[in-house]
Amino acid sequence: MEVIKNQQCPGCGKNTLELKEEDKDIEGFGKVYVLSMNCSDCNFSKCDIESEEEKEGSIQTLVVDSKKDMKIKIIKSCLGTIKIPQIRMKIEGGDSSEGFITDVEGLIEKFEKIVEKERDSAEDPSVKKSAKNLLKKLWKIKLGDVPVKITVEDPTGNSAIISDKVEVKKVGKK
């Protein structure tokens, strides 16, 4: 792992930013670089994933229909977008988005945290009830009782679902 310390932070402007680059070899995808920035002063942070080899942009779709599928690996670059249409939730790609490596279960847990935060901050009882129902559905998805479709879109090809079950549609780079 390569680490560069005392860089200027884009958040606070102080020389308290630490840059890290780590190589990881992901079975079924290849070598990736995990790039991160963290400021010890203002807590600014940013993370991205970049494939060593240039890949075609793609839209990848996975139908999750068993508890076993919870261990399927998902790679999301900052430009990748992840959608679960059945629960009307997505993690958008873009400049302010984070890259990460997780599995389906970890992705569902990210969505649970978003819904829990919304539930806990809501004053409207109907919003609280909707959040509670969505959390129940997410729990059933994690048990493998409710099948869902997960889509990962990335025009750069740096995002992927690593599974024999995935459908891949190639798209041109934007």
Side-chain angles (χ1 to χ4, degrees), residues 1 30 43 58 61 65 93 135:
M1 178 185 316
N43 293 322
S58 67
T61 304
D65 55 11
L135 287 168

Side-chain angles (χ1 to χ4, degrees), residues 10-145:
C12 65
K14 296 180 180 174
N15 290 333
T16 51
L17 187 74
E18 182 176 89
L19 306 172
K20 290 182 186 176
E21 181 180 307
E22 183 179 0
D23 302 351
K24 286 188 180 262
D25 198 8
I26 300 176
E27 188 176 332
F29 189 73
K31 187 175 181 180
V32 297
Y33 300 106
V34 179
L35 312 161
S36 64
M37 295 186 268
N38 294 294
C39 178
S40 60
D41 191 63
C42 72
N43 293 322
F44 170 85
S45 70
K46 178 86 173 153
C47 184
D48 198 10
I49 311 290
E50 205 172 287
S51 174
E52 178 182 59
E53 64 183 68
E54 191 169 323
K55 297 181 181 278
E56 276 188 85
S58 67
I59 298 172
Q60 300 187 12
T61 304
L62 171 71
V63 176
V64 175
D65 55 11
S66 73
K67 187 158 177 62
K68 189 175 96 174
D69 291 343
M70 292 299 117
K71 297 302 170 201
I72 292 173
K73 192 169 290 298
I74 296 176
I75 303 164
K76 181 201 171 298
S77 77
C78 71
L79 294 177
T81 297
I82 299 178
K83 299 177 186 176
I84 303 181
Q86 289 93 331
I87 59 171
R88 295 185 190 105
M89 292 192 78
K90 66 181 171 179
I91 298 173
E92 287 278 357
D95 290 340
S96 62
S97 183
E98 293 283 320
F100 56 81
I101 300 170
T102 190
D103 56 18
V104 172
E105 185 173 19
L107 177 66
I108 299 300
E109 288 170 356
K110 283 181 184 294
F111 284 123
E112 283 175 328
K113 286 178 183 164
I114 293 167
V115 174
E116 287 168 350
K117 188 175 179 181
E118 185 177 319
R119 176 200 63 198
D120 295 346
S121 66
E123 293 186 21
D124 183 342
S126 66
V127 172
K128 286 186 180 285
K129 184 177 181 180
S130 293
K132 182 181 172 187
N133 290 337
L134 186 51
L135 287 168
K136 197 180 295 183
K137 189 170 189 175
L138 289 168
W139 178 68
K140 288 181 178 182
I141 291 168
K142 283 191 342 188
L143 293 175
D145 294 344

Side-chain angles (χ1 to χ4, degrees), residues 138-163:
L138 289 168
W139 178 68
K140 288 181 178 182
I141 291 168
K142 283 191 342 188
L143 293 175
D145 294 344
V146 175
V148 294
K149 187 185 292 186
I150 297 174
T151 303
V152 174
E153 300 176 18
D154 191 331
T156 66
N158 287 317
S159 300
I161 302 170
I162 311 300
S163 171

